[in-house]
């Protein structure tokens, strides 16, 4: 983990989180309230992704991680999974040029290689085309689960111990963090969940250890630049103690 302060002075003197993560929940309920199919909620959710990622860039936030597809989302009806894959395809095709132009580095956390081949190819191409950028990171969590991430990290370290490359007694938090998919991202400062649910749902469990948590009632498709700004202001008022006084 970087030794830099967990947050820096932002615009207007407000403490600005370096890394914000969002559990984008409530697309289905948004659609239901409008008597629309669930896919309409996800479509509106993509529009919120655009608004919020632009707002994060405008504020100077270094990294934004969005939970777009959890490792448990495979349990949804095949049609809905297909709709989400379709929206991901559309998003990459329509927004990649903007990400390249805006100096954004696109990253993915999670085992996205289980997605359809053409989606994997689109993602790989998008990551490659933004890898030379030097600006903010937009990390999308796809087929991501924090427990699986920790299991993988543990396996890799155990293999090194078994091979005699390291000793079990020297395993520490930094060694585990270096194996996590977020290793190249700043420490997580703020984790937001929309739609009134108060759960972490297997998202960034290790990384959330000292993050500020914010649960808002707004459904994800209604969460816009203004709502994001309010969340950042709320963060700015929090007193972070990291276990101290
Ligand atoms: C949760 O709402 C949302 C999801 C499972 C998917 C989130 C996906 C998007 C916002 C669109 C795809 C993203 C990108 C980056 C292209 P829900 O369906 O669980 O809502 P509900 O709890 O009201 O049913």
């Amino acid at each position: 983990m970087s030794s830099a302060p967990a947050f820096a002075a932002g615009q207007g003197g407000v403490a600005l989180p370096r890394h914000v993560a969002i559990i984008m929940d409530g697309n289905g309920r948004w659609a239901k309230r409008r008597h629309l199919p669930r896919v309409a909620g996800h479509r509106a959710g993509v529009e919120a992704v655009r608004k919020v990622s632009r707002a994060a860039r405008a504020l100077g936030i270094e990294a934004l991680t969005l939970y777009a597809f959890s490792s448990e989302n495979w349990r949804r009806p095949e049609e809905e999974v297909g709709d989400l894959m379709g929206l991901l395809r559309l998003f990459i095709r329509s927004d990649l040029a903007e990400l390249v132009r805006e100096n954004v580095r696109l990253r993915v956390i999670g085992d996205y290689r289980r997605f359809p081949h053409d989606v994997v190819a689109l993602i790989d191409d998008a990551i490659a085309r933004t890898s030379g950028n030097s600006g903010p990171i937009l990390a999308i969590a796809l087929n991501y689960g924090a427990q699986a991430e920790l299991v993988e990290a543990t396996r890799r370290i155990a293999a090194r111990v078994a091979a005699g490359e390291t000793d079990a007694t020297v395993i520490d938090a930094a060694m585990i963090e270096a194996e996590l998919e977020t290793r190249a991202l700043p420490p997580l400062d703020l984790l937001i969940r929309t739609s009134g649910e108060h759960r972490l749902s297997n998202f960034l469990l290790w990384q959330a250890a000292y993050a500020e948590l914010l649960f808002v009632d707004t459904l994800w498709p209604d969460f816009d630049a203004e709502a994001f700004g309010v969340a950042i202001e709320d963060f700015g008022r929090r007193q972070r103690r990291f276990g101290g006084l």
Side-chain angles (χ1 to χ4, degrees):
M1 193 186 280
S2 134
S3 58
F7 53 84
Q11 288 168 353
V14 177
L16 193 66
R18 295 181 63 197
H19 181 184
V20 179
I22 310 182
I23 301 174
M24 310 182 286
D25 196 11
N27 296 349
R29 275 161 285 169
W30 184 93
K32 196 171 177 189
R33 281 181 196 176
R34 288 163 178 75
H35 309 285
L36 293 169
R38 289 179 61 81
V39 64
H42 293 316
R43 228 175 267 134
V46 175
E47 198 43 49
V49 166
R50 286 193 185 100
K51 287 179 187 163
V52 169
S53 58
R54 284 173 189 151
R57 292 205 290 277
L59 285 169
I61 286 160
E62 289 175 53
L64 178 69
T65 302
L66 302 175
Y67 207 7
F69 194 93
S70 78
S71 45
E72 288 73 37
N73 283 152
W74 295 109
R75 297 183 193 142
R76 295 195 175 204
E78 211 177 304
E79 188 187 345
E80 181 164 344
V81 171
D83 287 339
L84 287 167
M85 296 299 149
L87 285 172
L88 191 56
R89 275 186 197 99
L90 271 178
F91 175 74
I92 295 175
R93 289 201 183 109
S94 57
D95 288 48
L96 181 58
E98 176 179 328
L99 299 180
V100 171
R101 194 174 61 241
E102 294 283 315
N103 200 22
V104 173
R105 287 174 285 171
L106 184 72
R107 298 279 163 82
V108 168
I109 62 169
D111 186 13
Y112 69 96
R113 297 199 174 276
R114 274 198 56 203
F115 282 10
H117 293 311
D118 71 302
V119 177
V120 173
L122 273 173
I123 294 170
D124 284 339
D125 175 61
I127 292 171
R129 283 172 58 187
T130 62
S131 64
N133 287 350
S134 55
I137 294 172
L138 175 61
I140 315 272
L142 296 173
N143 193 21
Y144 172 86
Q147 291 181 342
E149 178 186 37
L150 286 164
V151 167
E152 267 310 306
T154 307
R155 280 191 186 141
R156 278 196 294 272
I157 294 171
R160 291 213 297 275
V161 172
E165 292 163 17
T166 190
D167 193 273
T169 57
V170 303
I171 297 171
D172 60 6
M175 192 186 281
I176 294 169
E177 273 169 6
E179 296 296 333
L180 300 181
E181 301 209 46
T182 49
R183 59 191 161 270
L185 273 61
L188 181 62
D189 292 320
L190 175 63
L191 175 58
I192 303 169
R193 184 177 188 139
T194 60
S195 92
E197 308 284 349
H198 296 179
R199 287 189 294 278
L200 293 184
S201 298
N202 204 13
F203 189 46
L204 299 177
L205 298 183
W206 174 286
Q207 297 86 341
Y210 286 102
E212 293 296 321
L213 306 181
L214 179 65
F215 300 98
V216 296
D217 288 337
T218 314
L219 302 177
W220 174 248
D222 292 327
F223 197 82
D224 55 11
E226 196 190 336
F228 186 72
V230 170
I232 300 305
E233 273 172 30
D234 184 308
F235 175 86
R237 289 190 296 272
R238 306 266 182 115
Q239 286 214 331
R240 304 184 80 198
R241 296 204 296 265
F242 301 96
L245 289 178

PDB file of all heavy atoms in Angstrom, residues 92 96 106 108 112-113 116-131 142:
ATOM      1  N   ILE A  92     -18.374  -0.213 -23.814  1.00  0.00           N
ATOM      2  CA  ILE A  92     -16.979  -0.145 -24.276  1.00  0.00           C
ATOM      3  C   ILE A  92     -16.938   0.469 -25.683  1.00  0.00           C
ATOM      4  O   ILE A  92     -16.140   1.361 -25.962  1.00  0.00           O
ATOM      5  CB  ILE A  92     -16.308  -1.534 -24.243  1.00  0.00           C
ATOM      6  CG1 ILE A  92     -16.217  -2.010 -22.790  1.00  0.00           C
ATOM      7  CG2 ILE A  92     -14.914  -1.477 -24.872  1.00  0.00           C
ATOM      8  CD1 ILE A  92     -15.697  -3.414 -22.619  1.00  0.00           C
ATOM      9  N   LEU A  96     -15.190   4.138 -25.160  1.00  0.00           N
ATOM     10  CA  LEU A  96     -13.736   3.965 -25.116  1.00  0.00           C
ATOM     11  C   LEU A  96     -13.000   5.207 -25.634  1.00  0.00           C
ATOM     12  O   LEU A  96     -11.998   5.642 -25.045  1.00  0.00           O
ATOM     13  CB  LEU A  96     -13.318   2.711 -25.909  1.00  0.00           C
ATOM     14  CG  LEU A  96     -11.823   2.423 -25.911  1.00  0.00           C
ATOM     15  CD1 LEU A  96     -11.291   2.261 -24.491  1.00  0.00           C
ATOM     16  CD2 LEU A  96     -11.513   1.169 -26.741  1.00  0.00           C
ATOM     17  N   LEU A 106      -8.286   2.402 -17.964  1.00  0.00           N
ATOM     18  CA  LEU A 106      -9.338   1.440 -17.658  1.00  0.00           C
ATOM     19  C   LEU A 106      -8.706   0.168 -17.098  1.00  0.00           C
ATOM     20  O   LEU A 106      -7.734  -0.353 -17.645  1.00  0.00           O
ATOM     21  CB  LEU A 106     -10.139   1.115 -18.920  1.00  0.00           C
ATOM     22  CG  LEU A 106     -11.331   0.193 -18.704  1.00  0.00           C
ATOM     23  CD1 LEU A 106     -12.454   0.901 -17.966  1.00  0.00           C
ATOM     24  CD2 LEU A 106     -11.853  -0.350 -20.022  1.00  0.00           C
ATOM     25  N   VAL A 108      -9.740  -3.709 -14.971  1.00  0.00           N
ATOM     26  CA  VAL A 108     -10.804  -4.613 -14.555  1.00  0.00           C
ATOM     27  C   VAL A 108     -10.303  -5.418 -13.376  1.00  0.00           C
ATOM     28  O   VAL A 108      -9.153  -5.860 -13.371  1.00  0.00           O
ATOM     29  CB  VAL A 108     -11.220  -5.560 -15.713  1.00  0.00           C
ATOM     30  CG1 VAL A 108     -12.114  -6.679 -15.200  1.00  0.00           C
ATOM     31  CG2 VAL A 108     -11.957  -4.771 -16.798  1.00  0.00           C
ATOM     32  N   TYR A 112     -12.866 -11.780 -15.415  1.00  0.00           N
ATOM     33  CA  TYR A 112     -13.725 -11.478 -16.566  1.00  0.00           C
ATOM     34  C   TYR A 112     -13.496 -12.451 -17.720  1.00  0.00           C
ATOM     35  O   TYR A 112     -14.260 -12.445 -18.697  1.00  0.00           O
ATOM     36  CB  TYR A 112     -13.536 -10.031 -17.011  1.00  0.00           C
ATOM     37  CG  TYR A 112     -12.194  -9.722 -17.628  1.00  0.00           C
ATOM     38  CD1 TYR A 112     -12.000  -9.726 -19.008  1.00  0.00           C
ATOM     39  CD2 TYR A 112     -11.107  -9.422 -16.821  1.00  0.00           C
ATOM     40  CE1 TYR A 112     -10.774  -9.444 -19.560  1.00  0.00           C
ATOM     41  CE2 TYR A 112      -9.864  -9.147 -17.371  1.00  0.00           C
ATOM     42  CZ  TYR A 112      -9.706  -9.170 -18.746  1.00  0.00           C
ATOM     43  OH  TYR A 112      -8.483  -8.895 -19.296  1.00  0.00           O
ATOM     44  N   ARG A 113     -12.470 -13.294 -17.627  1.00  0.00           N
ATOM     45  CA  ARG A 113     -12.213 -14.236 -18.724  1.00  0.00           C
ATOM     46  C   ARG A 113     -13.293 -15.300 -18.842  1.00  0.00           C
ATOM     47  O   ARG A 113     -13.333 -16.030 -19.825  1.00  0.00           O
ATOM     48  CB  ARG A 113     -10.824 -14.870 -18.579  1.00  0.00           C
ATOM     49  CG  ARG A 113      -9.773 -13.801 -18.685  1.00  0.00           C
ATOM     50  CD  ARG A 113      -8.391 -14.213 -19.002  1.00  0.00           C
ATOM     51  NE  ARG A 113      -7.626 -12.992 -19.194  1.00  0.00           N
ATOM     52  CZ  ARG A 113      -7.561 -12.306 -20.324  1.00  0.00           C
ATOM     53  NH1 ARG A 113      -8.180 -12.756 -21.397  1.00  0.00           N
ATOM     54  NH2 ARG A 113      -6.878 -11.185 -20.397  1.00  0.00           N
ATOM     55  N   PRO A 116     -18.281 -13.977 -22.305  1.00  0.00           N
ATOM     56  CA  PRO A 116     -18.218 -14.391 -23.716  1.00  0.00           C
ATOM     57  C   PRO A 116     -16.929 -13.879 -24.378  1.00  0.00           C
ATOM     58  O   PRO A 116     -16.440 -12.795 -24.045  1.00  0.00           O
ATOM     59  CB  PRO A 116     -19.452 -13.728 -24.337  1.00  0.00           C
ATOM     60  CG  PRO A 116     -20.394 -13.520 -23.186  1.00  0.00           C
ATOM     61  CD  PRO A 116     -19.540 -13.284 -21.978  1.00  0.00           C
ATOM     62  N   HIS A 117     -16.399 -14.687 -25.315  1.00  0.00           N
ATOM     63  CA  HIS A 117     -15.092 -14.380 -25.931  1.00  0.00           C
ATOM     64  C   HIS A 117     -15.004 -12.975 -26.500  1.00  0.00           C
ATOM     65  O   HIS A 117     -14.004 -12.292 -26.353  1.00  0.00           O
ATOM     66  CB  HIS A 117     -14.776 -15.391 -27.039  1.00  0.00           C
ATOM     67  CG  HIS A 117     -14.542 -16.764 -26.514  1.00  0.00           C
ATOM     68  ND1 HIS A 117     -13.690 -17.024 -25.467  1.00  0.00           N
ATOM     69  CD2 HIS A 117     -15.073 -17.955 -26.873  1.00  0.00           C
ATOM     70  CE1 HIS A 117     -13.702 -18.321 -25.196  1.00  0.00           C
ATOM     71  NE2 HIS A 117     -14.540 -18.911 -26.036  1.00  0.00           N
ATOM     72  N   ASP A 118     -16.082 -12.543 -27.189  1.00  0.00           N
ATOM     73  CA  ASP A 118     -16.008 -11.219 -27.820  1.00  0.00           C
ATOM     74  C   ASP A 118     -15.954 -10.107 -26.768  1.00  0.00           C
ATOM     75  O   ASP A 118     -15.305  -9.076 -26.978  1.00  0.00           O
ATOM     76  CB  ASP A 118     -17.188 -10.999 -28.787  1.00  0.00           C
ATOM     77  CG  ASP A 118     -18.498 -10.815 -28.048  1.00  0.00           C
ATOM     78  OD1 ASP A 118     -18.895 -11.716 -27.273  1.00  0.00           O
ATOM     79  OD2 ASP A 118     -19.123  -9.748 -28.206  1.00  0.00           O
ATOM     80  N   VAL A 119     -16.604 -10.338 -25.616  1.00  0.00           N
ATOM     81  CA  VAL A 119     -16.572  -9.322 -24.550  1.00  0.00           C
ATOM     82  C   VAL A 119     -15.166  -9.268 -23.947  1.00  0.00           C
ATOM     83  O   VAL A 119     -14.609  -8.188 -23.710  1.00  0.00           O
ATOM     84  CB  VAL A 119     -17.636  -9.622 -23.455  1.00  0.00           C
ATOM     85  CG1 VAL A 119     -17.551  -8.617 -22.326  1.00  0.00           C
ATOM     86  CG2 VAL A 119     -19.037  -9.629 -24.053  1.00  0.00           C
ATOM     87  N   VAL A 120     -14.569 -10.459 -23.762  1.00  0.00           N
ATOM     88  CA  VAL A 120     -13.200 -10.519 -23.229  1.00  0.00           C
ATOM     89  C   VAL A 120     -12.251  -9.769 -24.177  1.00  0.00           C
ATOM     90  O   VAL A 120     -11.408  -8.973 -23.737  1.00  0.00           O
ATOM     91  CB  VAL A 120     -12.742 -11.991 -23.038  1.00  0.00           C
ATOM     92  CG1 VAL A 120     -11.272 -12.053 -22.662  1.00  0.00           C
ATOM     93  CG2 VAL A 120     -13.608 -12.689 -21.998  1.00  0.00           C
ATOM     94  N   ALA A 121     -12.438  -9.998 -25.492  1.00  0.00           N
ATOM     95  CA  ALA A 121     -11.564  -9.336 -26.476  1.00  0.00           C
ATOM     96  C   ALA A 121     -11.753  -7.820 -26.425  1.00  0.00           C
ATOM     97  O   ALA A 121     -10.763  -7.058 -26.480  1.00  0.00           O
ATOM     98  CB  ALA A 121     -11.858  -9.872 -27.879  1.00  0.00           C
ATOM     99  N   LEU A 122     -13.010  -7.383 -26.313  1.00  0.00           N
ATOM    100  CA  LEU A 122     -13.283  -5.933 -26.227  1.00  0.00           C
ATOM    101  C   LEU A 122     -12.622  -5.326 -24.988  1.00  0.00           C
ATOM    102  O   LEU A 122     -12.028  -4.237 -25.050  1.00  0.00           O
ATOM    103  CB  LEU A 122     -14.787  -5.684 -26.133  1.00  0.00           C
ATOM    104  CG  LEU A 122     -15.595  -5.560 -27.410  1.00  0.00           C
ATOM    105  CD1 LEU A 122     -17.079  -5.490 -27.062  1.00  0.00           C
ATOM    106  CD2 LEU A 122     -15.183  -4.310 -28.188  1.00  0.00           C
ATOM    107  N   ILE A 123     -12.738  -6.044 -23.864  1.00  0.00           N
ATOM    108  CA  ILE A 123     -12.158  -5.544 -22.609  1.00  0.00           C
ATOM    109  C   ILE A 123     -10.633  -5.481 -22.732  1.00  0.00           C
ATOM    110  O   ILE A 123     -10.010  -4.470 -22.374  1.00  0.00           O
ATOM    111  CB  ILE A 123     -12.576  -6.446 -21.411  1.00  0.00           C
ATOM    112  CG1 ILE A 123     -14.081  -6.352 -21.161  1.00  0.00           C
ATOM    113  CG2 ILE A 123     -11.787  -6.086 -20.151  1.00  0.00           C
ATOM    114  CD1 ILE A 123     -14.626  -7.387 -20.172  1.00  0.00           C
ATOM    115  N   ASP A 124     -10.042  -6.563 -23.249  1.00  0.00           N
ATOM    116  CA  ASP A 124      -8.578  -6.586 -23.370  1.00  0.00           C
ATOM    117  C   ASP A 124      -8.091  -5.431 -24.245  1.00  0.00           C
ATOM    118  O   ASP A 124      -7.103  -4.766 -23.936  1.00  0.00           O
ATOM    119  CB  ASP A 124      -8.105  -7.927 -23.956  1.00  0.00           C
ATOM    120  CG  ASP A 124      -8.170  -9.044 -22.924  1.00  0.00           C
ATOM    121  OD1 ASP A 124      -8.190  -8.738 -21.711  1.00  0.00           O
ATOM    122  OD2 ASP A 124      -8.196 -10.224 -23.333  1.00  0.00           O
ATOM    123  N   ASP A 125      -8.825  -5.189 -25.338  1.00  0.00           N
ATOM    124  CA  ASP A 125      -8.453  -4.106 -26.254  1.00  0.00           C
ATOM    125  C   ASP A 125      -8.580  -2.746 -25.554  1.00  0.00           C
ATOM    126  O   ASP A 125      -7.706  -1.890 -25.667  1.00  0.00           O
ATOM    127  CB  ASP A 125      -9.355  -4.167 -27.490  1.00  0.00           C
ATOM    128  CG  ASP A 125      -9.098  -3.008 -28.426  1.00  0.00           C
ATOM    129  OD1 ASP A 125      -7.954  -2.898 -28.912  1.00  0.00           O
ATOM    130  OD2 ASP A 125     -10.024  -2.191 -28.644  1.00  0.00           O
ATOM    131  N   ALA A 126      -9.671  -2.588 -24.783  1.00  0.00           N
ATOM    132  CA  ALA A 126      -9.896  -1.303 -24.093  1.00  0.00           C
ATOM    133  C   ALA A 126      -8.809  -1.067 -23.043  1.00  0.00           C
ATOM    134  O   ALA A 126      -8.304   0.056 -22.902  1.00  0.00           O
ATOM    135  CB  ALA A 126     -11.287  -1.301 -23.443  1.00  0.00           C
ATOM    136  N   ILE A 127      -8.438  -2.125 -22.329  1.00  0.00           N
ATOM    137  CA  ILE A 127      -7.386  -1.973 -21.313  1.00  0.00           C
ATOM    138  C   ILE A 127      -6.073  -1.597 -22.009  1.00  0.00           C
ATOM    139  O   ILE A 127      -5.373  -0.668 -21.587  1.00  0.00           O
ATOM    140  CB  ILE A 127      -7.221  -3.276 -20.488  1.00  0.00           C
ATOM    141  CG1 ILE A 127      -8.466  -3.514 -19.630  1.00  0.00           C
ATOM    142  CG2 ILE A 127      -5.967  -3.221 -19.611  1.00  0.00           C
ATOM    143  CD1 ILE A 127      -8.515  -4.871 -18.934  1.00  0.00           C
ATOM    144  N   ALA A 128      -5.781  -2.298 -23.109  1.00  0.00           N
ATOM    145  CA  ALA A 128      -4.515  -2.040 -23.823  1.00  0.00           C
ATOM    146  C   ALA A 128      -4.487  -0.603 -24.357  1.00  0.00           C
ATOM    147  O   ALA A 128      -3.466   0.086 -24.264  1.00  0.00           O
ATOM    148  CB  ALA A 128      -4.345  -3.042 -24.968  1.00  0.00           C
ATOM    149  N   ARG A 129      -5.640  -0.148 -24.888  1.00  0.00           N
ATOM    150  CA  ARG A 129      -5.659   1.193 -25.500  1.00  0.00           C
ATOM    151  C   ARG A 129      -5.613   2.320 -24.483  1.00  0.00           C
ATOM    152  O   ARG A 129      -5.356   3.471 -24.860  1.00  0.00           O
ATOM    153  CB  ARG A 129      -6.867   1.327 -26.428  1.00  0.00           C
ATOM    154  CG  ARG A 129      -6.555   0.564 -27.733  1.00  0.00           C
ATOM    155  CD  ARG A 129      -7.718   0.457 -28.642  1.00  0.00           C
ATOM    156  NE  ARG A 129      -8.281   1.740 -29.043  1.00  0.00           N
ATOM    157  CZ  ARG A 129      -9.394   1.854 -29.745  1.00  0.00           C
ATOM    158  NH1 ARG A 129     -10.068   0.775 -30.092  1.00  0.00           N
ATOM    159  NH2 ARG A 129      -9.840   3.032 -30.096  1.00  0.00           N
ATOM    160  N   THR A 130      -5.866   2.006 -23.227  1.00  0.00           N
ATOM    161  CA  THR A 130      -5.773   3.064 -22.211  1.00  0.00           C
ATOM    162  C   THR A 130      -4.552   2.861 -21.297  1.00  0.00           C
ATOM    163  O   THR A 130      -4.336   3.644 -20.383  1.00  0.00           O
ATOM    164  CB  THR A 130      -7.046   3.129 -21.324  1.00  0.00           C
ATOM    165  OG1 THR A 130      -7.192   1.890 -20.632  1.00  0.00           O
ATOM    166  CG2 THR A 130      -8.296   3.403 -22.141  1.00  0.00           C
ATOM    167  N   SER A 131      -3.782   1.807 -21.569  1.00  0.00           N
ATOM    168  CA  SER A 131      -2.695   1.480 -20.632  1.00  0.00           C
ATOM    169  C   SER A 131      -1.567   2.506 -20.682  1.00  0.00           C
ATOM    170  O   SER A 131      -0.818   2.641 -19.714  1.00  0.00           O
ATOM    171  CB  SER A 131      -2.153   0.076 -20.900  1.00  0.00           C
ATOM    172  OG  SER A 131      -1.569   0.064 -22.188  1.00  0.00           O
ATOM    173  N   LEU A 142     -15.735  -7.045 -12.556  1.00  0.00           N
ATOM    174  CA  LEU A 142     -16.500  -7.939 -13.421  1.00  0.00           C
ATOM    175  C   LEU A 142     -16.241  -9.375 -13.011  1.00  0.00           C
ATOM    176  O   LEU A 142     -15.081  -9.809 -12.994  1.00  0.00           O
ATOM    177  CB  LEU A 142     -16.063  -7.740 -14.889  1.00  0.00           C
ATOM    178  CG  LEU A 142     -16.345  -6.365 -15.499  1.00  0.00           C
ATOM    179  CD1 LEU A 142     -15.702  -6.248 -16.878  1.00  0.00           C
ATOM    180  CD2 LEU A 142     -17.848  -6.100 -15.589  1.00  0.00           C
TER     181      LEU A 142
END
